[in-house]
Amino acid sequence: MIITIDKTAGFCPGVHRAIHKAEKELEQDNELFSYGSLLHNELEMQRLQNDGLRLAEKDDILLLNNKKLLIRAHGEPPETYMLAEKHGVELIDATCPVVTRLQQKVRRAAEEMKKVNGQILIFGKQNHPEVIGLAGNAMDLATIISSTEELHTLDLSRPVRLFSQTTMDKDHYNAFALSLGEEIKKYQSEPDFISYDSICDHVTKRVPALKRFAANADVIIFVSGNESSNGKKLFAICLEVNPKTYFISGPNELRTAWFEHVRSVGISGAASTPLWLMENVADKIKEMN
Ligand code: SF4
């Protein structure tokens, strides 16, 4: 049986960098705090927590005087930085550089929109940490939106700058931007509307690569934490291409029956799935056969 691990699976560069920063800090100091999980993978988080990573809630910042707090790849709004400074918390900033550039772009657009009574729209998920960070940079001008059904709630007679959460689906974003542009024409004779496609390249390239990978093996084992929305989305794509795709969060969930009369197995995973976990899954499959 040939077992192949998907080279394009696993941490995106932003998450990889955040974990590396956390590991480096934990080598020097056995305590480091982070707001929520660095990534949606229970086993990888467990590994980091065993090394001293502690999860903190937003209100805990008041109690972290002289402690280190890691900012995740998703980034944080400016108020978090101000609060940390006020309470003597040392920040280890692991915001993904792609997200940092986007936050700066949103801020510049918000400054421009402020002068003309305009608005910022963020195509993304309510309450997603990255979206909260982006909205926090928009000087109270941001509305978070995820579908054309919500357009009637907006005042489209005012100028609009549209951005996207970096992990949204590109086709959905493009369709949304098109509809929004058409709708704005009804309210503005000379539309003041710019759509910034701010979806991460890594996310965009991942789907076609995954489809190719899923089509080339008899069975696909998709490894992801149960909480990862990216994992659920990529699993559904794999399943569509290859009906013999199975979702597991760890090697113990593998079933012998999946590999009967199978010649090739592909192992893939979400952007939060560590390589070591996919390797463990590969080893377990070898043991089972
Ligand atoms: S912007 Fe891209 S590389 Fe950065 S954290 Fe998001 S998905 Fe990962």
Side-chain angles (χ1 to χ4, degrees):
M1 181 192 289
I2 302 166
I3 302 171
T4 314
I5 296 176
D6 184 359
K7 283 196 193 78
T8 64
F11 300 154
C12 67
V15 170
H16 199 279
R17 183 172 168 273
I19 290 174
H20 183 64
K21 276 196 181 237
E23 285 172 337
K24 251 176 68 184
E25 286 300 325
L26 290 167
E27 269 168 29
Q28 295 161 14
D29 206 341
N30 55 8
E31 190 180 58
L32 174 68
F33 290 85
S34 133
Y35 272 153
S37 292
L38 287 193
L39 72 170
H40 294 296
N41 189 283
E42 299 87 357
L43 295 174
E44 178 68 349
M45 276 307 292
Q46 195 55 59
R47 182 183 75 82
L48 292 166
Q49 284 175 278
N50 290 345
D51 288 344
L53 186 73
R54 303 275 169 268
L55 299 187
E57 300 289 327
K58 197 101 185 168
D59 293 340
D60 293 341
I61 204 160
L62 313 177
L63 312 168
L64 294 181
N65 187 267
N66 285 328
K67 308 253 186 216
K68 290 179 180 174
L69 177 68
L70 186 103
I71 304 256
R72 311 180 274 189
H74 294 313
E76 281 289 324
E79 64 173 41
T80 302
Y81 292 81
M82 289 190 267
L83 212 59
E85 195 177 8
K86 189 172 164 199
H87 293 279
V89 180
E90 186 183 340
L91 289 182
I92 310 295
D93 196 347
T95 307
C96 172
V98 176
V99 175
T100 301
R101 283 196 292 276
L102 179 54
Q103 288 179 343
Q104 290 162 349
K105 222 167 169 178
V106 167
R107 176 155 282 270
R108 283 197 297 274
E111 281 161 4
E112 184 204 349
M113 288 295 96
K114 192 123 207 158
K115 291 178 198 149
V116 293
N117 190 30
Q119 59 196 314
I120 302 288
L121 297 187
I122 298 172
F123 182 71
K125 294 182 191 132
Q126 292 282 355
N127 299 324
H128 187 284
E130 182 195 305
V131 171
I132 293 170
L134 295 177
N137 277 278
M139 303 157 75
D140 293 329
L141 297 183
T143 303
I144 297 150
I145 191 159
S146 58
S147 73
T148 47
E149 282 83 64
E150 297 164 56
L151 287 179
H152 71 277
T153 61
L154 302 171
D155 173 4
L156 296 179
S157 63
R158 294 160 53 210
V160 177
R161 298 293 178 265
L162 173 68
F163 293 89
S164 174
Q165 181 185 330
T166 58
T167 47
M168 297 303 271
D169 179 90
K170 208 175 189 84
D171 291 341
H172 288 164
Y173 175 78
N174 288 339
F176 175 82
L178 206 67
S179 304
L180 174 61
E182 286 307 312
E183 200 61 21
I184 287 173
K185 282 183 199 162
K186 296 180 190 166
Y187 298 89
Q188 300 181 34
S189 51
E190 287 180 34
D192 188 352
F193 167 50
I194 301 179
S195 155
Y196 296 96
D197 175 354
S198 46
I199 295 165
C200 172
D201 272 356
H202 184 85
V203 174
T204 311
K205 287 178 189 154
R206 179 82 171 93
V207 171
L210 181 63
K211 283 185 177 171
R212 284 194 296 275
F213 183 80
N216 279 325
D218 294 342
V219 164
I220 295 290
I221 302 299
F222 192 88
V223 192
S224 167
N226 290 312
E227 298 296 310
S228 164
S229 54
N230 169 264
K232 283 178 200 152
K233 188 183 101 182
L234 297 181
F235 168 67
I237 289 167
C238 268
L239 194 62
E240 213 177 281
V241 176
N242 187 334
K244 287 193 175 163
T245 298
Y246 302 98
F247 186 103
I248 59 167
S249 43
N252 294 342
E253 294 168 27
L254 289 166
R255 298 286 168 266
T256 319
W258 298 344
F259 307 106
E260 278 167 15
H261 315 298
V262 163
R263 282 173 306 158
S264 59
V265 177
I267 300 170
S268 191
S272 51
T273 306
L275 179 62
W276 64 260
L277 185 56
M278 290 187 280
E279 286 171 347
N280 285 0
V281 168
D283 291 343
K284 180 85 182 187
I285 296 171
K286 276 181 214 153
E287 274 172 32
M288 290 165 81
N289 290 278

